[in-house]
């Protein structure tokens, strides 16, 4: 364990963060959050009847980025998320909440 309360587990980003005697597997939490965000974008896009190509055009980003994002193989920047939200006539909200 490092001084920051983290310890490595396996390969890649598998690590545990310990806070207030709670261990949080960061990679699992990140994957869950990413899937939730992707699902929200896809749902909004489809409800508005917008194709990936149209979303990309409106957001000023390559269509391949939208496709890769929706498939879960691309970790978008905050700027890209904001652009896509605006292209969907939505606002992006990010908040911290007690677990």
């Amino acid at each position: 364990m490092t001084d920051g309360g983290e310890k490595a587990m396996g390969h890649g980003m598998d690590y545990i963060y310990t806070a207030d005697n709670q261990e949080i597997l960061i990679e699992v939490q990140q994957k869950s959050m990413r899937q939730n965000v992707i699902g929200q974008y896809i749902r909004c896009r489809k409800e508005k009847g917008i194709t990936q190509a149209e979303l990309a055009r409106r957001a000023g980003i390559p269509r391949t980025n939208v496709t890769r994002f929706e498939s879960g193989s691309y970790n978008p920047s905050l700027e890209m998320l904001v652009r896509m939200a605006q292209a969907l006539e939505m606002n992006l909200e990010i908040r911290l909440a007690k677990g």
Side-chain angles (χ1 to χ4, degrees):
M1 187 169 321
T2 66
D3 291 335
E6 298 175 13
K7 60 184 174 182
M9 291 184 57
H11 303 289
M13 292 179 43
D14 291 338
Y15 60 94
I16 291 179
Y17 178 78
T18 305
D20 298 327
N21 296 322
Q22 288 186 315
E23 291 187 338
I24 302 166
L25 186 56
I26 301 298
E27 185 175 358
V28 171
Q29 190 173 24
Q30 286 177 346
K31 184 177 181 179
S32 174
M33 182 62 65
R34 182 177 293 129
Q35 288 172 339
N36 181 285
V37 169
I38 292 168
Q40 289 180 56
Y41 273 93
I42 293 171
R43 192 169 36 260
C44 288
R45 180 178 63 74
K46 288 183 176 183
E47 284 174 359
K48 292 179 178 285
I50 299 172
T51 64
Q52 289 179 341
E54 179 62 15
L55 176 61
R57 187 192 66 74
R58 290 181 184 187
I61 58 177
R63 181 182 174 274
T64 54
N65 286 6
V66 174
T67 302
R68 290 173 38 224
F69 165 68
E70 288 190 6
S71 72
S73 64
Y74 181 73
N75 192 13
S77 66
L78 182 57
E79 178 184 352
M80 181 177 151
L81 293 174
V82 168
R83 284 176 171 223
M84 289 192 321
Q86 289 176 340
L88 293 168
E89 298 174 336
M90 305 289 287
N91 290 318
L92 177 67
E93 289 185 12
I94 298 175
R95 64 184 180 93
L96 298 174
K98 291 186 178 183

XYZ file of all heavy atoms in Angstrom:
780
model
N 0.854 -1.178 0.000
C 0.000 0.000 0.000
C 0.890 1.228 0.000
O 1.892 1.285 0.671
C -0.910 -0.004 1.232
C -1.902 1.114 1.159
S -3.253 1.121 2.357
C -3.718 -0.535 2.516
N 0.492 2.233 -0.746
C 1.240 3.485 -0.794
C 0.755 4.398 0.314
O -0.250 4.147 0.959
C 1.043 4.190 -2.149
O -0.317 4.584 -2.248
C 1.423 3.300 -3.310
N 1.470 5.507 0.494
C 1.067 6.471 1.521
C -0.300 7.075 1.232
O -0.990 7.521 2.121
C 2.112 7.599 1.628
C 3.424 7.101 2.197
O 3.399 6.089 2.925
O 4.457 7.712 1.915
N -0.721 7.079 -0.045
C -1.994 7.668 -0.433
C -3.181 6.763 -0.205
O -4.284 7.089 -0.583
N -2.972 5.599 0.402
C -4.086 4.712 0.665
C -4.447 3.847 -0.525
O -5.534 3.309 -0.591
N -3.509 3.677 -1.466
C -3.784 2.868 -2.639
C -2.863 1.670 -2.646
O -1.744 1.727 -2.199
C -3.552 3.674 -3.920
C -4.453 4.859 -4.052
C -4.123 5.711 -5.267
O -3.360 5.240 -6.125
O -4.629 6.828 -5.335
N -3.359 0.553 -3.185
C -2.500 -0.600 -3.382
C -2.843 -1.235 -4.719
O -4.000 -1.267 -5.126
C -2.631 -1.605 -2.245
C -4.011 -2.183 -2.031
C -4.020 -3.090 -0.814
C -5.434 -3.565 -0.507
N -5.497 -4.391 0.667
N -1.815 -1.674 -5.409
C -2.011 -2.249 -6.739
C -2.572 -3.652 -6.629
O -2.314 -4.374 -5.688
C -0.672 -2.283 -7.482
N -3.379 -4.016 -7.625
C -3.933 -5.361 -7.698
C -3.861 -5.805 -9.153
O -4.553 -5.262 -9.991
C -5.404 -5.375 -7.277
C -5.638 -5.112 -5.836
S -7.386 -5.267 -5.456
C -7.723 -6.930 -6.002
N -3.065 -6.753 -9.469
C -3.046 -7.291 -10.825
C -2.448 -6.331 -11.820
O -1.490 -5.642 -11.546
N -3.060 -6.288 -12.990
C -2.533 -5.497 -14.097
C -3.417 -4.293 -14.360
O -4.554 -4.236 -13.957
C -2.462 -6.358 -15.358
C -1.627 -7.586 -15.173
N -0.262 -7.538 -15.053
C -1.965 -8.889 -15.062
C 0.203 -8.759 -14.892
N -0.822 -9.601 -14.889
N -2.904 -3.358 -15.115
C -3.684 -2.213 -15.539
C -4.092 -1.325 -14.399
O -3.306 -1.005 -13.532
N -5.367 -0.930 -14.390
C -5.853 0.037 -13.416
C -6.557 -0.621 -12.238
O -7.284 0.032 -11.521
C -6.790 1.022 -14.103
C -6.078 1.924 -15.080
S -7.137 3.092 -15.943
C -8.203 3.714 -14.692
N -6.381 -1.928 -12.057
C -7.000 -2.582 -10.908
C -6.280 -2.124 -9.646
O -5.145 -2.492 -9.415
C -6.862 -4.100 -10.990
C -7.681 -4.710 -12.094
O -8.641 -4.058 -12.518
O -7.363 -5.819 -12.519
N -6.914 -1.311 -8.857
C -6.334 -0.945 -7.588
C -7.441 -0.612 -6.606
O -8.566 -0.344 -6.988
C -5.321 0.197 -7.705
C -5.848 1.485 -8.258
C -6.291 2.492 -7.409
C -5.869 1.721 -9.617
C -6.765 3.687 -7.908
C -6.335 2.915 -10.132
C -6.779 3.895 -9.269
O -7.234 5.075 -9.773
N -7.087 -0.681 -5.363
C -8.048 -0.404 -4.304
C -7.649 0.884 -3.617
O -6.488 1.123 -3.329
C -8.080 -1.542 -3.268
C -8.696 -2.796 -3.888
C -8.871 -1.138 -2.031
C -8.739 -3.978 -2.960
N -8.619 1.719 -3.371
C -8.406 2.929 -2.599
C -9.083 2.711 -1.258
O -10.250 2.340 -1.202
C -9.010 4.146 -3.305
C -8.843 5.415 -2.513
C -7.628 6.074 -2.487
C -9.886 5.924 -1.764
C -7.458 7.219 -1.751
C -9.724 7.072 -1.017
C -8.514 7.719 -1.012
O -8.348 8.847 -0.260
N -8.365 2.909 -0.182
C -8.915 2.717 1.149
C -9.161 4.075 1.788
O -8.272 4.912 1.862
C -7.940 1.915 2.034
O -7.641 0.689 1.361
C -8.547 1.606 3.378
N -10.394 4.305 2.215
C -10.751 5.554 2.883
C -11.744 5.230 3.986
O -12.721 4.526 3.749
C -11.352 6.535 1.899
N -11.500 5.720 5.155
C -12.385 5.485 6.287
C -12.718 4.000 6.438
O -13.875 3.612 6.620
C -13.689 6.295 6.146
C -13.438 7.789 6.136
O -12.490 8.233 6.822
O -14.176 8.498 5.450
N -11.681 3.184 6.342
C -11.804 1.733 6.482
C -12.704 1.095 5.432
O -13.211 -0.009 5.623
C -12.283 1.354 7.881
C -11.270 1.749 8.938
O -10.066 1.638 8.702
N -11.742 2.221 10.062
N -12.956 1.772 4.308
C -13.704 1.197 3.191
C -12.753 1.017 2.023
O -11.995 1.919 1.698
C -14.847 2.113 2.756
C -15.991 2.174 3.724
C -17.134 2.992 3.152
O -16.913 4.057 2.609
N -18.330 2.472 3.273
N -12.810 -0.160 1.415
C -11.996 -0.408 0.236
C -12.879 -0.294 -0.995
O -13.955 -0.886 -1.050
C -11.350 -1.786 0.299
C -10.292 -1.874 1.375
C -9.535 -3.176 1.348
O -10.053 -4.164 0.797
O -8.419 -3.203 1.868
N -12.427 0.484 -1.962
C -13.193 0.721 -3.177
C -12.353 0.241 -4.353
O -11.241 0.720 -4.558
C -13.509 2.217 -3.341
C -14.277 2.730 -2.133
C -14.289 2.472 -4.623
C -14.331 4.231 -2.037
N -12.867 -0.693 -5.113
C -12.169 -1.160 -6.299
C -12.433 -0.146 -7.405
O -13.522 -0.091 -7.979
C -12.642 -2.552 -6.710
C -11.898 -3.212 -7.859
C -10.395 -3.293 -7.582
C -12.448 -4.608 -8.097
N -11.445 0.677 -7.687
C -11.589 1.821 -8.578
C -12.000 1.410 -9.987
O -12.889 2.013 -10.581
C -10.285 2.654 -8.606
C -9.936 3.158 -7.203
C -10.407 3.804 -9.594
C -10.948 4.066 -6.574
N -11.380 0.382 -10.541
C -11.691 0.005 -11.917
C -13.152 -0.398 -12.069
O -13.804 -0.040 -13.048
C -10.786 -1.128 -12.397
C -11.018 -1.446 -13.865
C -10.053 -2.469 -14.413
O -9.165 -2.936 -13.694
O -10.203 -2.798 -15.595
N -13.688 -1.114 -11.109
C -15.092 -1.529 -11.169
C -16.001 -0.310 -11.128
O -16.966 -0.208 -11.890
C -15.432 -2.504 -10.015
C -16.923 -2.773 -9.927
C -14.662 -3.801 -10.176
N -15.683 0.633 -10.265
C -16.490 1.851 -10.157
C -16.408 2.667 -11.453
O -17.418 3.189 -11.931
C -16.026 2.684 -8.970
C -16.946 3.837 -8.647
C -16.546 4.547 -7.369
O -15.399 4.499 -6.951
N -17.487 5.204 -6.753
N -15.221 2.769 -12.036
C -15.058 3.513 -13.284
C -15.847 2.861 -14.412
O -16.508 3.547 -15.196
C -13.581 3.597 -13.681
C -12.779 4.557 -12.851
C -11.320 4.558 -13.227
O -10.817 3.684 -13.919
N -10.604 5.555 -12.741
N -15.776 1.544 -14.520
C -16.496 0.835 -15.576
C -17.999 1.042 -15.437
O -18.694 1.313 -16.421
C -16.157 -0.652 -15.537
C -16.790 -1.436 -16.657
C -16.364 -2.887 -16.624
C -17.001 -3.649 -17.777
N -16.596 -5.050 -17.798
N -18.502 0.953 -14.230
C -19.928 1.146 -13.990
C -20.357 2.561 -14.361
O -21.378 2.765 -15.019
C -20.246 0.862 -12.523
O -21.580 1.175 -12.238
N -19.577 3.551 -13.961
C -19.888 4.941 -14.258
C -19.839 5.190 -15.763
O -20.712 5.842 -16.331
C -18.915 5.880 -13.546
C -19.211 7.345 -13.766
S -20.826 7.879 -13.151
C -20.607 7.619 -11.412
N -18.816 4.645 -16.432
C -18.683 4.825 -17.876
C -19.892 4.230 -18.600
O -20.467 4.863 -19.476
C -17.393 4.172 -18.376
C -17.175 4.371 -19.882
C -15.863 3.796 -20.366
N -14.758 4.562 -19.802
C -13.734 4.011 -19.163
N -13.640 2.725 -19.008
N -12.770 4.776 -18.681
N -20.312 3.023 -18.207
C -21.466 2.385 -18.846
C -22.734 3.198 -18.614
O -23.568 3.325 -19.509
C -21.641 0.955 -18.325
C -20.570 0.011 -18.832
C -20.623 -1.352 -18.171
O -21.178 -1.525 -17.089
N -20.036 -2.342 -18.820
N -22.866 3.769 -17.440
C -24.029 4.590 -17.127
C -24.069 5.831 -18.020
O -25.108 6.174 -18.587
C -24.008 4.983 -15.646
C -25.202 5.811 -15.252
O -25.281 6.990 -15.576
N -26.126 5.199 -14.544
N -22.936 6.506 -18.155
C -22.862 7.724 -18.969
C -23.116 7.392 -20.442
O -23.886 8.081 -21.114
C -21.495 8.431 -18.792
C -21.291 9.533 -19.824
C -21.372 8.989 -17.386
N -22.498 6.326 -20.936
C -22.707 5.918 -22.327
C -24.188 5.638 -22.563
O -24.760 6.089 -23.556
C -21.850 4.680 -22.670
C -20.365 5.047 -22.677
C -22.276 4.086 -24.014
C -19.433 3.841 -22.727
N -24.803 4.917 -21.643
C -26.222 4.595 -21.771
C -27.091 5.839 -21.838
O -28.047 5.899 -22.631
N -26.771 6.837 -21.029
C -27.544 8.083 -21.044
C -27.426 8.793 -22.393
O -28.422 9.289 -22.934
C -27.064 9.015 -19.929
C -27.451 8.545 -18.544
C -26.938 9.504 -17.491
O -27.240 10.689 -17.532
N -26.160 8.992 -16.553
N -26.203 8.856 -22.934
C -25.999 9.505 -24.226
C -26.749 8.767 -25.328
O -27.432 9.385 -26.150
C -24.509 9.606 -24.575
C -23.855 10.838 -24.014
C -23.216 10.812 -22.789
C -23.892 12.042 -24.699
C -22.620 11.936 -22.260
C -23.300 13.187 -24.187
C -22.666 13.125 -22.959
O -22.083 14.255 -22.445
N -26.638 7.445 -25.360
C -27.308 6.665 -26.397
C -28.820 6.843 -26.297
O -29.502 7.060 -27.298
C -26.917 5.174 -26.305
C -25.438 4.987 -26.664
C -27.804 4.327 -27.218
C -24.903 3.593 -26.395
N -29.344 6.767 -25.093
C -30.794 6.921 -24.879
C -31.272 8.297 -25.362
O -32.259 8.396 -26.093
C -31.118 6.712 -23.399
C -32.577 6.566 -23.071
C -32.830 6.098 -21.636
N -31.923 6.602 -20.612
C -30.887 5.901 -20.103
N -30.625 4.687 -20.524
N -30.111 6.424 -19.188
N -30.560 9.350 -24.987
C -30.938 10.709 -25.412
C -30.851 10.847 -26.928
O -31.743 11.428 -27.556
C -30.048 11.749 -24.745
S -30.368 11.985 -23.002
N -29.794 10.327 -27.509
C -29.612 10.429 -28.960
C -30.752 9.728 -29.692
O -31.347 10.283 -30.620
C -28.263 9.819 -29.375
C -27.999 9.887 -30.879
C -26.653 9.325 -31.258
N -26.469 7.918 -30.965
C -27.021 6.918 -31.663
N -27.816 7.164 -32.687
N -26.778 5.660 -31.342
N -31.082 8.523 -29.251
C -32.139 7.764 -29.917
C -33.519 8.378 -29.686
O -34.346 8.394 -30.599
C -32.111 6.311 -29.457
C -30.908 5.556 -30.024
C -30.905 4.108 -29.631
C -29.737 3.391 -30.304
N -29.737 1.961 -29.993
N -33.775 8.907 -28.484
C -35.059 9.552 -28.210
C -35.277 10.756 -29.116
O -36.399 11.071 -29.488
C -35.148 9.983 -26.741
C -35.400 8.842 -25.784
C -35.350 9.261 -24.317
O -35.100 10.452 -24.012
O -35.547 8.379 -23.465
N -34.184 11.425 -29.463
C -34.279 12.604 -30.334
C -34.205 12.228 -31.812
O -34.297 13.095 -32.670
C -33.175 13.606 -29.979
C -33.379 14.224 -28.604
C -32.273 15.192 -28.278
C -32.511 15.839 -26.941
N -33.550 16.852 -26.929
N -34.025 10.934 -32.094
C -33.970 10.482 -33.481
C -32.736 10.957 -34.225
O -32.786 11.192 -35.435
N -31.631 11.097 -33.512
C -30.388 11.600 -34.107
C -29.434 10.429 -34.333
O -29.223 9.616 -33.445
C -29.729 12.648 -33.179
C -30.668 13.844 -32.991
C -28.376 13.096 -33.728
C -30.187 14.832 -31.944
N -28.853 10.364 -35.523
C -27.867 9.330 -35.817
C -26.520 9.713 -35.212
O -26.294 10.872 -34.848
C -27.678 9.147 -37.337
O -27.130 10.364 -37.867
C -28.993 8.790 -38.019
N -25.626 8.736 -35.150
C -24.273 9.025 -34.680
C -23.601 10.057 -35.587
O -22.919 10.952 -35.102
C -23.429 7.746 -34.646
C -23.815 6.783 -33.566
C -22.957 5.527 -33.585
O -22.320 5.198 -34.578
N -22.961 4.808 -32.468
N -23.826 9.921 -36.891
C -23.221 10.864 -37.841
C -23.741 12.283 -37.610
O -22.969 13.253 -37.639
C -23.499 10.418 -39.275
N -25.039 12.418 -37.366
C -25.621 13.735 -37.125
C -25.121 14.316 -35.804
O -24.811 15.504 -35.712
C -27.151 13.661 -37.139
C -27.845 14.978 -36.868
C -27.576 16.071 -37.884
O -27.067 15.783 -38.990
O -27.863 17.248 -37.574
N -25.031 13.480 -34.783
C -24.508 13.938 -33.493
C -23.084 14.449 -33.659
O -22.736 15.522 -33.157
C -24.561 12.817 -32.455
C -23.952 13.130 -31.090
C -24.671 14.299 -30.418
C -23.972 11.898 -30.201
N -22.273 13.693 -34.384
C -20.883 14.093 -34.614
C -20.820 15.425 -35.358
O -20.039 16.300 -34.998
C -20.150 13.005 -35.394
N -21.651 15.572 -36.390
C -21.667 16.823 -37.159
C -22.041 17.997 -36.268
O -21.378 19.031 -36.269
C -22.649 16.712 -38.326
C -22.602 17.911 -39.268
C -23.758 17.940 -40.252
N -25.052 18.151 -39.600
C -25.491 19.310 -39.090
N -24.717 20.375 -39.122
N -26.691 19.406 -38.535
N -23.109 17.829 -35.486
C -23.565 18.910 -34.605
C -22.528 19.258 -33.539
O -22.400 20.414 -33.149
C -24.861 18.510 -33.905
C -26.062 18.439 -34.808
C -27.289 18.069 -34.004
N -28.467 17.889 -34.831
C -29.686 17.703 -34.337
N -29.887 17.662 -33.026
N -30.705 17.545 -35.153
N -21.820 18.239 -33.049
C -20.836 18.453 -31.987
C -19.475 18.893 -32.525
O -18.616 19.317 -31.756
C -20.674 17.169 -31.164
N -19.281 18.765 -33.831
C -18.001 19.147 -34.426
C -16.883 18.183 -34.088
O -15.736 18.598 -33.890
N -17.226 16.900 -34.012
C -16.234 15.873 -33.697
C -16.331 14.757 -34.732
O -17.365 14.604 -35.388
C -16.437 15.297 -32.271
C -17.841 14.704 -32.122
C -16.175 16.359 -31.208
C -18.099 14.052 -30.768
N -15.274 13.964 -34.896
C -15.332 12.857 -35.850
C -16.378 11.810 -35.450
O -16.527 11.493 -34.270
C -13.930 12.253 -35.806
C -13.060 13.319 -35.227
C -13.941 14.105 -34.299
N -17.085 11.278 -36.447
C -18.088 10.242 -36.185
C -17.454 9.024 -35.515
O -18.066 8.388 -34.664
C -18.773 9.821 -37.487
C -19.839 8.759 -37.240
C -20.501 8.308 -38.546
N -21.393 7.205 -38.314
C -21.021 5.921 -38.293
N -19.771 5.599 -38.517
N -21.906 4.971 -38.070
N -16.217 8.717 -35.888
C -15.549 7.558 -35.284
C -15.423 7.722 -33.774
O -15.488 6.735 -33.048
C -14.157 7.322 -35.906
O -13.393 8.531 -35.806
C -14.264 6.892 -37.354
N -15.255 8.943 -33.298
C -15.176 9.170 -31.848
C -16.505 8.854 -31.172
O -16.538 8.295 -30.081
C -14.753 10.596 -31.533
C -13.285 10.849 -31.803
O -12.582 9.989 -32.327
N -12.818 12.028 -31.478
N -17.609 9.222 -31.823
C -18.933 8.920 -31.268
C -19.138 7.414 -31.239
O -19.575 6.850 -30.225
C -20.054 9.610 -32.080
C -21.429 9.167 -31.585
C -19.917 11.124 -31.999
N -18.807 6.747 -32.334
C -18.967 5.297 -32.428
C -18.129 4.584 -31.365
O -18.621 3.689 -30.667
C -18.563 4.795 -33.829
O -19.362 5.465 -34.796
C -18.734 3.304 -33.960
N -16.874 4.982 -31.246
C -15.989 4.353 -30.252
C -16.465 4.645 -28.840
O -16.404 3.784 -27.965
C -14.548 4.829 -30.474
C -13.965 4.255 -31.761
C -12.607 4.804 -32.159
N -11.714 5.042 -31.055
C -10.956 6.130 -30.919
N -11.008 7.099 -31.819
N -10.150 6.270 -29.897
N -16.945 5.875 -28.585
C -17.478 6.223 -27.271
C -18.667 5.342 -26.928
O -18.732 4.745 -25.851
C -17.873 7.701 -27.230
C -18.745 8.061 -26.057
C -18.246 8.039 -24.763
C -20.077 8.412 -26.239
C -19.049 8.358 -23.678
C -20.882 8.744 -25.166
C -20.369 8.714 -23.879
N -19.624 5.228 -27.856
C -20.832 4.454 -27.587
C -20.548 2.967 -27.432
O -21.284 2.264 -26.749
C -21.880 4.696 -28.671
C -22.495 6.078 -28.586
C -23.704 6.266 -29.492
O -24.157 5.282 -30.133
O -24.218 7.399 -29.547
N -19.467 2.477 -28.036
C -19.119 1.065 -27.893
C -18.322 0.807 -26.609
O -18.091 -0.343 -26.246
C -18.299 0.592 -29.096
O -16.997 1.136 -29.063
N -17.907 1.882 -25.940
C -17.148 1.745 -24.697
C -15.655 1.611 -24.898
O -14.916 1.382 -23.944
N -15.189 1.783 -26.134
C -13.760 1.615 -26.398
C -12.992 2.936 -26.428
O -11.823 2.959 -26.768
C -13.553 0.872 -27.730
O -14.037 1.637 -28.810
N -13.664 4.024 -26.090
C -13.038 5.346 -26.136
C -13.386 6.096 -24.865
O -14.548 6.184 -24.489
C -13.556 6.098 -27.369
C -12.969 7.478 -27.570
C -11.662 7.628 -28.009
C -13.733 8.613 -27.340
C -11.137 8.899 -28.219
C -13.208 9.878 -27.546
C -11.910 10.012 -27.991
O -11.392 11.262 -28.193
N -12.386 6.625 -24.218
C -12.587 7.404 -23.004
C -12.564 8.881 -23.407
O -11.507 9.444 -23.637
C -11.475 7.090 -21.996
C -11.790 7.637 -20.629
O -12.909 8.044 -20.355
N -10.789 7.637 -19.775
N -13.735 9.506 -23.511
C -13.799 10.870 -24.046
C -13.295 11.921 -23.055
O -13.310 11.718 -21.850
C -15.293 11.068 -24.295
C -15.926 10.248 -23.237
C -15.044 9.026 -23.100
N -12.893 13.033 -23.623
C -12.519 14.175 -22.789
C -13.784 14.842 -22.274
O -14.886 14.631 -22.808
C -11.717 15.186 -23.621
O -12.553 15.753 -24.625
N -13.640 15.659 -21.267
C -14.767 16.433 -20.749
C -15.301 17.353 -21.851
O -16.516 17.505 -22.003
C -14.331 17.239 -19.522
C -15.397 18.070 -18.838
C -16.573 17.199 -18.405
C -14.800 18.778 -17.631
N -14.414 17.907 -22.645
C -14.825 18.777 -23.752
C -15.731 18.025 -24.724
O -16.764 18.546 -25.160
C -13.607 19.317 -24.505
C -13.989 20.183 -25.687
C -12.794 20.662 -26.502
O -11.643 20.458 -26.096
O -13.034 21.242 -27.570
N -15.377 16.787 -25.055
C -16.199 16.011 -25.979
C -17.566 15.716 -25.375
O -18.586 15.815 -26.052
C -15.505 14.699 -26.353
C -16.305 13.867 -27.342
S -15.407 12.381 -27.824
C -16.763 11.279 -28.183
N -17.617 15.382 -24.099
C -18.895 15.121 -23.445
C -19.785 16.362 -23.452
O -20.992 16.271 -23.684
C -18.672 14.635 -22.009
C -18.018 13.266 -21.860
C -17.724 12.991 -20.386
C -18.870 12.170 -22.465
N -19.196 17.529 -23.213
C -19.949 18.786 -23.229
C -20.462 19.069 -24.636
O -21.628 19.420 -24.811
C -19.087 19.960 -22.709
C -19.750 21.299 -22.981
C -18.805 19.793 -21.225
N -19.610 18.893 -25.633
C -20.022 19.134 -27.020
C -21.179 18.214 -27.419
O -22.133 18.646 -28.069
C -18.856 18.898 -27.982
C -17.842 19.999 -27.983
C -16.693 19.600 -28.899
N -15.801 20.701 -29.087
C -15.273 21.033 -30.249
N -15.521 20.336 -31.330
N -14.445 22.055 -30.331
N -21.080 16.939 -27.044
C -22.144 15.999 -27.401
C -23.432 16.343 -26.665
O -24.516 16.268 -27.236
C -21.719 14.557 -27.111
C -20.667 14.053 -28.071
S -20.336 12.264 -28.023
C -20.398 11.852 -26.320
N -23.322 16.746 -25.405
C -24.518 17.135 -24.651
C -25.182 18.346 -25.310
O -26.402 18.373 -25.488
C -24.164 17.436 -23.194
N -24.400 19.334 -25.680
C -24.953 20.515 -26.335
C -25.581 20.160 -27.675
O -26.627 20.685 -28.036
C -23.872 21.583 -26.512
C -23.470 22.214 -25.203
C -22.327 23.205 -25.354
O -21.586 23.186 -26.332
N -22.181 24.072 -24.370
N -24.962 19.234 -28.415
C -25.506 18.795 -29.699
C -26.850 18.084 -29.506
O -27.676 18.075 -30.410
C -24.514 17.869 -30.408
N -27.056 17.511 -28.331
C -28.326 16.859 -27.990
C -29.295 17.830 -27.315
O -30.347 17.426 -26.828
C -28.067 15.663 -27.066
C -27.317 14.489 -27.690
C -26.860 13.506 -26.609
C -28.177 13.797 -28.731
N -28.908 19.105 -27.260
C -29.681 20.149 -26.587
C -29.903 19.806 -25.116
O -30.981 19.975 -24.557
C -31.011 20.389 -27.313
C -30.819 20.867 -28.737
C -32.115 20.981 -29.514
O -33.099 20.306 -29.167
O -32.129 21.769 -30.481
N -28.830 19.310 -24.505
C -28.835 18.919 -23.095
C -27.681 19.649 -22.405
O -26.806 20.202 -23.058
C -28.624 17.407 -22.953
C -29.600 16.531 -23.724
S -31.246 16.521 -23.073
C -31.053 15.553 -21.611
N -27.701 19.631 -21.084
C -26.590 20.134 -20.285
C -25.907 18.943 -19.622
O -26.570 17.991 -19.224
C -27.078 21.085 -19.188
C -27.582 22.394 -19.761
O -26.978 22.950 -20.655
N -28.688 22.860 -19.239
N -24.606 19.012 -19.514
C -23.849 17.990 -18.822
C -23.712 18.398 -17.370
O -23.308 19.530 -17.085
C -22.460 17.815 -19.450
C -21.542 16.820 -18.764
C -22.078 15.396 -18.912
C -20.142 16.924 -19.325
N -24.075 17.513 -16.460
C -23.911 17.771 -15.028
C -22.993 16.699 -14.459
O -23.206 15.517 -14.696
C -25.249 17.706 -14.297
C -26.169 18.850 -14.601
C -27.437 18.802 -13.764
O -27.509 18.024 -12.792
O -28.367 19.556 -14.094
N -22.016 17.136 -13.714
C -21.121 16.218 -13.013
C -21.187 16.600 -11.550
O -21.044 17.780 -11.210
C -19.682 16.318 -13.538
C -19.649 15.917 -15.016
C -18.751 15.445 -12.709
C -18.315 16.083 -15.663
N -21.404 15.628 -10.691
C -21.500 15.945 -9.275
C -20.887 14.835 -8.456
O -20.802 13.694 -8.897
C -22.942 16.169 -8.859
C -23.819 14.956 -8.989
C -25.280 15.270 -8.658
N -26.082 14.092 -8.791
C -26.369 13.256 -7.791
N -25.917 13.503 -6.588
N -27.112 12.191 -7.998
N -20.468 15.180 -7.286
C -19.992 14.198 -6.320
C -21.111 13.916 -5.350
O -21.836 14.827 -4.947
C -18.771 14.739 -5.565
C -17.543 15.037 -6.410
C -16.475 15.703 -5.547
C -17.001 13.767 -7.018
N -21.283 12.672 -5.000
C -22.348 12.299 -4.084
C -21.794 11.337 -3.045
O -20.901 10.538 -3.348
C -23.506 11.655 -4.846
N -22.303 11.425 -1.851
C -21.902 10.482 -0.823
C -22.361 9.090 -1.217
O -23.458 8.911 -1.708
C -22.484 10.864 0.525
C -21.881 12.118 1.092
C -22.373 12.375 2.475
C -21.706 13.626 3.032
N -22.121 13.867 4.396
N -21.475 8.116 -1.009
C -21.780 6.740 -1.428
C -22.588 5.964 -0.456
O -23.080 6.259 0.534
